[in-house]
């Protein structure tokens, strides 16, 4: 008996020793990434990892470059028991996915702590106002946003100059008139990709917001009878966007454009504008001429509408720590390092991507997007929150049906009828 | 099959005096239409691989102003295609060998032995051909992690073997069943035991069928990417289709379309050459299984 | 006589691997299909057959089913129509038969990802191979067609699919034709039979077995069709391209959206399985012949 106890004691001591030795040997954080390896975003991440490792002897980070469907890959790996400490993904995707499933560690206790790297203020102060609220699930924050993209109307300054348009107006009628001028000069007005429903939906998102206010979409989605979709505002928004086609401001052949055929016409100075997230200049960086100049305006206001030109829809990439991580402290340290101003500045400068840290200057290509965020009185999440809360409705019903009406496969009246029916169907199937 | 009686066609028009090659002109025309299209499509990929990023999107069939050969180097280095080629060779080679090793004996027994439940067992195997692969992502991942084989080429090979067994057994049972039984009986009369009959008599006769299975599995597994995508995670372990897939993703996000086409070229050129060299054997083998 | 010991020995390895890594996972999905389950952790709620009643009322499911059946029947019609046509042409004694056969089969050895990328460039409205070629030969009106517009994209994808699969079945059918004793054709030639008559009265009856196998292979592939239309959809697969396999993937894995309804997704898989088996039984009944019995 005594021997057994002794053996146990020894064993424990030994394992404690070896644990201590291991801690000294180092902690390895496994980070599964939404970046593809050759992307600028991944290159910056690599250099940041190197800096972090240099500053924290004993901590190493193993990145796994999975690309944008990272969360799905992570979920599969977790189901298989793979050890992952840190991952990143679309903010709304995480909200509806890993965060909702309780698989991530909360951050709320950290927000009041001092900012990393001796910066003034608290950690929470580093971020754009409201961003952290938007990232939270029922008041608990499970993710730290680090990349930030605004949906704006991006334009080629060269194309506008060629058409003699000095500035794009931020009201709908003025905007349409300016594009008419662009069209008259022989250029195309607006670039559209027919197959990417989640790009095209932004036209309707903004128009319905400008016409009926920022809460309309969620209200219509959550109306179990679907009847809210019969509100005249819906028809009005659809008719405004279809008017762009009718006027030829969106060239008819766009119905056949498969991404990235549409956006490329901007790089070739054939088209003036596109409604898209602020990643566009990065994607086209190697395709445009060296002297190409980007600009952006906020989505125009609609006269007499309940929305506001200062309401901006965004997309964000966030980092998160998995609840199963055994290196919580180091993982938090790393994410704080990524969110710190110097690291974020490197993203903005080297990769030309907008960032979630409000103290950072953005690259000239996306400076206008940053300005729209600075002036924004309301930041809206993807599809006004529907994507995170009802992802299957968002993809299968809302975006899919909208793409049909936007591309002229169904009439506006059919769109309304089908939205009513399919919303009803969605709620009936959900119960 | 050879004993099937075919009907004599009814007498028709007289043999025409037009020479054969003239009568075959429409055939040549139709065949060349298809062939030209396919070759043009491939040529288009090759042409796009040596253009600049701007040119590739605009110049269509025009020759590039300047041949950018460095696209190949970029794709090769960024895509690590050399490493992934080796991974693919290992996984596919190992899997195909193992598939035949386990399926051939099983198919033999299912085709030639008499035991209760034989048909049921055969059906159970063949049933697997209709199972949609996406359905299996989660349970397979669970089992592999239990075996500590997620994100490993061995784990992927095991899965490849499992999913290829149905079609292989389907082909081979058909093949074994079609072999004449005279030789088998003769061998038994000469004192061969059952294993010897299999090894010395039936297996050699079934070789064309085994070759068929080998080639079909080779083609399918060489290009497989759904399951690999779920099972493999670390960049070191990627197979060639996965490497190409992630290269394509990466190139899309950086607008490097020529780089993507260069990657595609690097992957398909060896495949096409190997195919051209092996095609006679391959087609002969492939068709022997299905066509008895 | 094959002894019991050998039977067991020969069947065991295949059964073990197949059972453990294929059959058991499949059976477990039947079980999963009775649950509401996100795939994260263990939170599974038993909901009985609710997933199946929901499928019945799900517009997108019916759309995916319709697309899958369109691939199966319309695609199958063209695949086999063209494969037969070219079998006849290529075995009519033209020169370079082996070369042509090689080219026809070529798409089958190229990665699907590469093929999809290539077709996107073929269909591009302005700079694509198709429209530039069409306008070059003077068909300027046809060259204005938007092959990948929402009304056409499914058929555009299907055409590409037919291009791939025709070569595959062509090889099978041609090999069957090569097996037909040449004296059959010689006799027919002596009697002055036309190409068509030879095809109908000699080729088809003697190809029966090959056809049966080809149909079964096509059905299985058509119903679980996933990779090609998926790759054809690039960033986001348009709903016009949804097949049952893609819808299963979207509901279970969501591409970039956090849909993650694994229970529901597996129910789609079960339906696919059932359709496959019903069709296999039907086709094998219809084409039954003694030789077909494996």
């Amino acid at each position: 008996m005594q021997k057994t106890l002794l053996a146990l004691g020894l064993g424990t001591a030994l394992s404690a020793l070896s644990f201590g030795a291991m801690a000294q040997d180092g902690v390895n954080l496994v980070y599964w990434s939404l970046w593809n390896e050759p992307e600028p975003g991944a290159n910056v991440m690599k250099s940041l990892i190197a800096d972090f490792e240099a500053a924290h002897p004993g901590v190493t980070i193993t990145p796994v470059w999975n690309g944008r469907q990272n969360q799905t890959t992570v979920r599969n790996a977790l189901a298989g028991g793979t050890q992952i400490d840190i991952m990143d993904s679309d903010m709304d995707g995480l909200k509806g996915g890993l965060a909702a499933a309780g698989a991530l560690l909360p951050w709320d206790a950290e927000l009041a702590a001092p900012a990393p790297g001796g910066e003034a203020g608290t950690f929470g102060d580093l971020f754009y106002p409201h961003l952290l609220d938007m990232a939270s699930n029922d008041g608990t924050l499970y993710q730290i946003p680090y990349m930030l993209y605004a949906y704006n109307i991006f334009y080629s300054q060269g194309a506008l100059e060629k058409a003699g348009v000095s500035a794009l107006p931020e009201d709908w009628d003025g905007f349409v008139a300016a594009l008419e001028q662009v069209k008259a000069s022989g250029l195309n007005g607006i670039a559209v990709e027919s197959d990417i429903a989640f790009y095209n939906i932004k036209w309707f998102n903004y128009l319905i917001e400008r016409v009926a206010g920022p809460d309309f979409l969620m209200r219509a989605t959550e109306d179990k009878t679907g009847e809210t979709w019969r509100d005249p505002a819906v028809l009005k928004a659809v008719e405004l966007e279809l008017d762009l086609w009718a006027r030829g401001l969106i060239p008819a052949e766009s119905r056949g454009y498969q991404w990235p055929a549409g956006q490329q016409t901007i790089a070739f100075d054939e088209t003036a504008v596109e409604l898209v997230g602020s990643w566009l200049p990065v994607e086209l960086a190697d395709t445009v001429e060296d002297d190409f100049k980007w600009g952006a305006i906020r989505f125009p206001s609609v006269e007499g509408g309940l929305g506001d030109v200062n309401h901006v829809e965004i997309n964000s990439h966030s980092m998160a720590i998995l609840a199963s991580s055994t290196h919580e402290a180091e993982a938090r340290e790393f994410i704080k390092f990524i969110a710190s101003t110097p690291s974020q500045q490197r993203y903005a400068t080297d990769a030309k991507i907008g960032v979630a840290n409000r103290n950072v200057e953005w690259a000239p290509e996306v400076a206008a997007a940053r300005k729209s965020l600075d002036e924004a009185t309301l930041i809206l999440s993807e599809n006004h929150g529907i994507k995170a809360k009802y992802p299957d409705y968002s993809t299968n019903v809302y975006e899919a049906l909208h793409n049909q009406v936007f591309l002229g496969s169904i009439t506006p009246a059919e769109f309304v009828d089908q939205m009513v029916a399919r919303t009803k169907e969605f709620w009936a199937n959900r119960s | 099959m050879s004993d099937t009686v075919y009907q004599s066609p009814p007498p028709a028009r007289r043999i025409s005096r037009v020479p054969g090659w003239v009568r075959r002109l429409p055939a040549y025309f139709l065949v060349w239409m298809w062939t030209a299209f396919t070759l043009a499509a491939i040529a288009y990929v090759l042409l796009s691989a040596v253009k600049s990023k701007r040119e590739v999107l605009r110049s269509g069939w025009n020759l590039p102003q300047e041949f950018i050969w460095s696209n190949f180097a970029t794709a090769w280095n960024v895509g690590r295609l050399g490493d992934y080629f080796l991974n693919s060779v290992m996984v596919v080679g190992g899997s195909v060998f193992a598939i035949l090793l386990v399926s051939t004996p099983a198919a033999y027994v299912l085709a030639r032995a008499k035991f209760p439940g034989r048909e049921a067992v055969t059906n159970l195997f063949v049933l697997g051909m209709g199972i949609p692969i996406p359905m299996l992502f989660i349970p397979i991942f669970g089992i592999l992690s239990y075996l500590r084989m997620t994100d490993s080429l061995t784990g992927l090979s095991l899965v490849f073997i499992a999913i290829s067994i149905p079609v292989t057994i389907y082909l081979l049972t058909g093949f074994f069943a079609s072999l004449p039984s005279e030789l088998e009986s003769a061998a038994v009369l000469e004192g061969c035991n059952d294993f010897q009959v299999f090894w010395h008599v039936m297996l050699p006769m079934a070789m064309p069928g085994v070759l068929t299975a080998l080639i079909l599995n080779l083609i399918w597994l060489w290009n497989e990417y759904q399951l690999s995508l779920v099972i493999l995670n670390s960049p070191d372990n990627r197979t060639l289709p996965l490497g190409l897939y992630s290269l394509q993703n990466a190139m899309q996000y950086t607008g490097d379309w020529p780089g993507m086409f260069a990657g595609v070229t690097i992957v398909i050129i060896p495949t096409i050459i190997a195919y051209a060299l092996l095609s006679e054997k391959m087609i002969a083998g492939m068709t022997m299984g299905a066509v008895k | 006589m094959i002894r019991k010991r050998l039977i067991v020995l020969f069947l065991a390895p295949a059964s073990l691997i197949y059972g453990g890594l294929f059959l058991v996972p499949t059976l477990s999905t039947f079980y999963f299909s009775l649950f509401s389950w996100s795939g994260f952790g263990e939170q599974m709620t038993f909901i009985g057959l609710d997933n199946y009643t929901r499928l019945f009322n799900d517009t997108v499911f019916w759309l995916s089913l319709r697309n899958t059946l369109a691939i199966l029947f319309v695609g199958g019609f063209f695949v086999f129509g063209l494969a037969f046509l070219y079998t006849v042409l290529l075995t009519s004694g033209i020169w370079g038969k082996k070369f042509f056969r090689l080219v026809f089969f070529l798409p089958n050895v190229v990665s699907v990802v590469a093929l999809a990328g290539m077709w996107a460039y073929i269909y591009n409205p302005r700079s694509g191979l198709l429209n530039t070629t069409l306008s070059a030969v003077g068909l300027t009106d046809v060259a204005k067609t938007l092959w990948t517009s929402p009304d056409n994209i499914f058929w555009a994808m299907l055409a590409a699919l037919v291009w791939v699969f025709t070569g595959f079945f062509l090889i099978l059918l041609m090999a069957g034709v090569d097996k037909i004793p040449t004296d059959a054709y010689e006799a027919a030639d002596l009697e002055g039979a036309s190409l068509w008559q030879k095809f109908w009265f000699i080729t088809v009856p003697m190809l029966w077995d090959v056809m049966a196998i080809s149909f079964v292979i096509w059905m299985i592939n058509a119903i679980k069709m996933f990779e090609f239309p998926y790759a054809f959809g690039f960033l986001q697969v348009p709903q016009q391209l949804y097949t049952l396999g893609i819808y299963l993937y979207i509901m279970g894995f969501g591409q970039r959206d956090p849909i993650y309804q694994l229970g529901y997704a597996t129910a789609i898989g079960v339906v696919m399985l059932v359709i496959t088996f019903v069709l296999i039984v039907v086709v094998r009944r219809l084409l039954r012949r003694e030789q077909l019995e494996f």
Side-chain angles (χ1 to χ4, degrees):
Chain A
M1 182 68 196
Q2 247 180 348
K3 263 188 184 162
T4 328
L5 274 179
L6 188 70
L8 265 176
L10 254 177
T12 320
L14 269 176
S15 60
L17 261 179
S18 62
F19 182 74
M22 251 176 64
Q24 247 168 16
D25 273 358
V27 168
N28 182 43
L29 295 174
V30 179
Y31 157 54
W32 283 29
S33 174
L34 65 83
W35 301 108
N36 298 287
E37 202 170 354
E39 281 185 86
N43 287 332
V44 174
M45 185 59 84
K46 278 184 209 165
S47 74
L48 288 175
I49 286 174
D51 289 359
F52 183 81
E53 287 174 342
H56 298 78
V59 182
T60 53
I61 293 168
T62 311
V64 177
W65 310 109
N66 283 325
R68 297 297 187 282
Q69 294 185 31
N70 190 32
Q71 184 172 221
T72 300
T73 318
V74 167
R75 182 193 60 167
N76 296 347
L78 289 179
T82 308
Q83 182 62 41
I84 304 166
D85 300 291
I86 301 170
M87 58 87 63
D88 50 13
S89 189
D90 298 303
M91 179 173 91
D92 288 352
L94 275 177
K95 251 175 106 166
L98 284 163
L104 303 175
L105 290 181
W107 279 89
D108 303 85
E110 308 284 329
L111 296 178
E119 225 174 309
T122 65
F123 180 54
D125 289 340
L126 291 178
F127 302 90
Y128 264 92
H130 310 304
L131 192 57
L132 296 183
D133 294 340
M134 286 170 64
S136 299
N137 287 53
D138 297 324
T140 309
L141 181 68
Y142 292 104
Q143 49 177 312
I144 298 299
Y146 75 116
M147 301 282 97
L148 187 57
Y149 309 91
Y151 288 103
N152 286 143
I153 297 199
F154 282 83
Y155 59 83
S156 152
Q157 288 192 12
L160 289 189
E161 276 162 26
K162 223 191 292 180
V165 176
S166 53
L168 274 181
E170 286 183 325
D171 69 282
W172 185 259
D173 294 336
F175 174 68
V176 170
L179 288 177
E180 288 280 11
Q181 202 179 328
V182 169
K183 190 186 152 209
S185 79
L187 293 172
N188 293 323
I190 302 166
V192 156
E193 320 279 2
S194 76
D195 59 335
I196 312 288
F198 69 77
Y199 279 16
N200 296 334
I201 197 70
K202 301 304 167 196
W203 284 100
F204 185 80
N205 282 354
Y206 267 123
L207 280 168
I208 196 72
E209 195 280 334
R210 297 297 189 253
V211 172
D215 61 339
F216 179 87
L217 213 48
M218 187 55 89
R219 218 169 59 227
T221 301
E222 290 187 330
D223 176 0
K224 296 185 169 60
T225 66
E227 293 297 325
T228 307
W229 284 104
R230 294 209 190 278
D231 191 299
V234 174
L235 262 188
K236 179 165 187 204
V238 172
E239 273 156 11
L240 285 177
E241 58 180 353
L242 290 187
D243 186 45
L244 300 173
W245 290 91
R247 289 168 179 267
L249 300 178
I250 305 174
E253 69 178 12
S254 309
R255 295 184 79 231
Y257 280 168
Q258 279 182 292
W259 181 89
Q263 67 187 36
Q264 275 153 3
T265 61
I266 297 183
F268 288 100
D269 284 325
E270 293 168 4
T271 306
V273 313
E274 180 175 358
L275 170 58
V276 67
S278 48
W279 56 76
L280 185 67
V282 182
E283 280 188 9
L284 291 181
D286 288 327
T287 323
V288 296
E289 296 279 13
D290 292 337
D291 59 351
F292 190 94
K293 279 207 182 59
W294 286 101
I297 57 160
R298 295 166 295 188
F299 195 90
S301 59
V302 174
E303 205 185 326
L306 303 173
D308 192 309
V309 73
N310 279 313
H311 297 171
V312 179
E313 187 173 338
I314 60 140
N315 169 283
S316 173
H317 293 155
S318 295
M319 299 198 108
I321 304 175
L322 290 149
S324 56
S325 168
T326 46
H327 306 298
E328 185 188 334
E330 290 84 357
R332 282 199 197 279
E333 193 66 25
F334 177 67
I335 293 182
K336 282 183 177 174
F337 171 73
I338 294 294
S340 71
T341 307
S343 304
Q344 294 261 292
Q345 186 65 58
R346 193 143 5 132
Y347 257 106
T349 313
D350 296 355
K352 302 187 192 308
I353 308 176
V355 293
N357 184 314
R358 70 213 281 187
N359 304 325
V360 168
E361 196 73 32
W362 292 18
E365 288 88 342
V366 286
R370 151 131 208 190
K371 188 163 161 277
S372 77
L373 286 172
D374 287 342
E375 291 167 4
T377 52
L378 181 65
I379 299 180
L380 295 158
S381 53
E382 294 265 14
N383 297 354
H384 304 182
I386 294 174
K387 194 161 209 152
K389 206 167 174 189
Y390 307 108
D392 48 339
Y393 178 86
S394 174
T395 305
N396 293 330
V397 180
Y398 179 51
E399 289 180 4
L401 280 177
H402 172 264
N403 223 37
Q404 288 186 33
V405 73
F406 187 67
L407 298 172
S409 298
I410 55 176
T411 65
E414 283 167 342
F415 171 70
V416 168
D417 287 344
Q418 289 193 32
M419 281 309 296
V420 172
R422 295 283 293 282
T423 305
K424 224 162 110 184
E425 174 191 307
F426 172 77
W427 286 105
N429 280 336
R430 207 177 146 89
S431 57
Chain B
M1 183 76 216
S2 52
D3 56 355
T4 314
V5 183
Y6 57 87
Q7 281 174 276
S8 244
R13 62 194 161 81
R14 301 294 315 153
I15 299 169
S16 96
R17 301 235 166 261
V18 187
W21 67 269
V22 174
R23 268 189 293 136
R24 285 193 278 272
L25 269 183
Y28 278 113
F29 176 72
L30 287 172
V31 169
W32 264 112
M33 287 250 297
W34 189 286
T35 307
F37 176 77
T38 302
L39 294 179
I42 305 269
Y44 200 73
V45 172
L46 303 190
L47 189 64
S48 302
V50 291
K51 290 184 175 178
S52 72
K53 286 179 188 174
R54 265 179 81 82
E55 229 177 347
V56 73
L57 309 166
R58 256 326 104 97
S59 60
W61 275 103
N62 297 334
L63 283 178
Q65 289 171 341
E66 188 192 349
F67 287 82
I68 317 276
W69 298 106
S70 61
N71 288 335
F72 291 105
T74 313
W76 179 265
N77 295 330
V78 168
R80 298 177 55 186
L81 296 176
D83 297 345
Y84 299 156
F85 186 81
L86 282 182
N87 283 346
S88 267
V89 168
M90 283 194 313
V91 170
V92 176
S95 308
V96 170
F97 177 75
I99 289 162
L100 296 176
L101 198 68
V102 301
S103 303
T104 313
Y108 171 68
V109 164
L110 290 174
R112 310 292 299 202
K114 289 187 175 53
F115 60 94
R118 184 180 63 112
E119 195 154 338
V121 175
T122 312
N123 284 336
L124 205 59
F125 273 115
V126 173
L127 189 137
M129 290 202 312
I131 295 175
I133 300 296
M135 190 172 161
L136 300 173
F137 289 164
I138 289 294
I140 279 190
F141 204 89
I143 291 169
L144 283 184
S145 68
Y146 178 76
L147 299 172
R148 304 220 165 266
M149 278 188 196
T150 54
D151 196 16
S152 88
L153 296 178
T154 321
L156 182 66
S157 304
L158 270 181
V159 175
F160 275 0
I161 298 166
I163 61 164
S164 303
I165 284 177
V167 70
T168 313
I169 287 192
Y170 175 72
L171 282 171
L172 290 179
T173 42
F175 204 85
F176 277 118
S178 73
L179 295 178
S181 53
E182 292 84 12
L183 278 173
E184 200 179 7
S185 324
V188 173
L189 280 178
E190 280 182 30
C192 287
N193 70 22
D194 51 3
F195 181 77
Q196 287 165 327
V197 171
F198 168 72
W199 189 251
H200 293 297
V201 181
M202 300 306 275
L203 189 59
M205 282 204 291
M207 264 344 242
V210 175
L211 197 67
T212 306
L214 184 144
I215 285 156
L216 281 180
N217 281 314
L218 213 59
I219 296 174
W220 286 334
L221 295 182
W222 186 255
N223 287 325
E224 203 288 334
Y225 86 90
Q226 294 181 64
L227 271 169
S228 321
L229 194 61
V230 175
I231 292 170
L232 301 176
N233 300 306
S234 39
D236 288 346
N237 280 338
R238 281 179 192 144
T239 56
L240 208 47
L242 271 194
L244 193 61
Y245 180 73
S246 68
L247 179 72
Q248 192 182 26
N249 266 320
M251 296 303 187
Q252 280 174 354
Y253 281 107
T254 52
D256 190 356
W257 296 89
M260 187 197 96
F261 283 119
V264 169
T265 305
I266 293 174
V267 173
I268 66 174
I269 289 297
T271 316
I272 290 178
I273 290 174
Y275 164 65
L277 293 177
L278 291 174
S279 62
E280 274 314 299
K281 272 215 165 72
M282 194 158 137
I283 289 168
M286 213 184 105
T287 49
M288 230 172 274
V291 186
K292 299 182 299 280
Chain C
M1 183 61 199
I2 300 171
R3 282 169 301 171
K4 208 172 157 191
R5 209 178 53 184
L6 192 80
I7 296 179
V8 173
L9 194 73
F10 272 19
L11 276 178
S15 310
L16 208 69
I17 298 177
Y18 174 67
L21 280 169
F22 205 172
L23 220 48
V24 168
T26 304
L27 290 177
S28 71
T29 58
F30 276 87
Y31 173 76
F32 291 145
S33 76
L34 304 176
F35 288 83
S36 165
W37 183 38
S38 73
F40 296 109
E42 306 293 319
Q43 314 109 310
M44 295 171 72
T45 321
F46 182 80
I47 52 168
L49 294 175
D50 280 6
N51 281 331
Y52 293 94
T53 48
R54 185 180 150 195
L55 267 186
F56 193 77
N57 294 316
D58 181 348
T59 313
V60 185
F61 168 75
W62 290 107
L63 172 94
S64 312
L65 180 63
R66 201 184 64 204
N67 284 346
T68 305
L69 294 179
I71 291 175
L72 176 63
F73 292 112
V74 182
F77 175 80
F78 283 102
V79 165
F80 285 101
L82 287 165
F84 271 122
L85 171 71
Y86 280 104
T87 300
V88 173
L89 296 179
L90 287 177
T91 52
S92 69
I94 68 171
W95 185 83
K97 171 179 146 187
K98 283 178 181 172
F99 166 74
F100 290 124
R101 190 168 64 175
L102 192 138
V103 173
F104 272 76
F105 191 72
L106 200 60
N108 287 281
V109 299
V110 177
S111 149
V112 170
V113 182
L115 290 179
M118 195 183 87
W119 275 94
Y121 274 83
I122 289 174
Y123 283 136
N124 185 297
R126 239 190 307 173
S127 56
L129 170 60
L130 197 54
N131 282 354
T132 47
T133 312
L134 284 172
S135 50
V137 296
L139 294 165
T140 37
D141 281 343
V142 191
K144 286 190 186 121
T145 313
L146 305 172
W147 306 100
T148 44
S149 74
D151 331 301
N152 299 335
I153 192 167
F154 177 79
W155 304 109
M157 183 279 296
L158 194 61
L161 204 65
V162 167
W163 172 71
V164 174
F165 277 94
T166 298
F168 185 86
F169 290 107
L170 175 83
I171 298 288
L172 292 184
L173 295 178
M174 272 178 75
V177 170
D178 285 345
K179 289 270 165 118
I180 298 174
T182 44
D183 49 0
Y185 288 109
E186 280 159 13
D189 278 340
L190 277 179
E191 295 182 41
S194 69
L195 210 61
W196 170 249
Q197 284 170 324
K198 283 189 282 186
F199 173 71
W200 193 246
F201 291 104
I202 303 175
T203 313
V204 169
M206 299 198 84
L207 273 183
W208 202 254
D209 291 351
V210 189
M211 279 162 47
I213 291 180
S214 302
F215 287 155
V216 170
I217 295 179
W218 169 250
M219 267 172 9
I220 288 166
N221 276 298
I223 293 165
K224 64 180 179 190
M225 191 63 71
F226 172 88
E227 290 190 339
F228 192 82
Y230 184 81
F232 200 78
F234 289 101
L235 279 194
Q236 186 186 33
V237 185
Q239 215 164 59
Q240 291 90 343
L241 293 183
Y242 274 22
T243 61
L244 288 176
I246 292 177
Y247 191 43
L248 180 160
Y249 187 77
I250 296 288
M251 292 311 281
F253 301 86
Q255 277 198 303
R256 271 176 87 171
D257 301 324
I259 299 184
Y260 303 140
Q261 301 179 6
L262 273 184
Y264 192 58
T266 49
I268 301 172
V270 171
V271 172
M272 288 164 71
L273 210 57
V274 171
I275 297 175
T276 310
F277 289 131
V278 169
L279 280 173
I280 289 181
V281 169
V282 169
V283 167
R284 290 184 72 167
R285 278 276 146 75
L286 284 178
L287 298 176
R288 173 161 283 181
R289 274 230 205 147
E290 280 312 303
Q291 291 240 337
L292 255 182
E293 285 306 300
F294 293 143

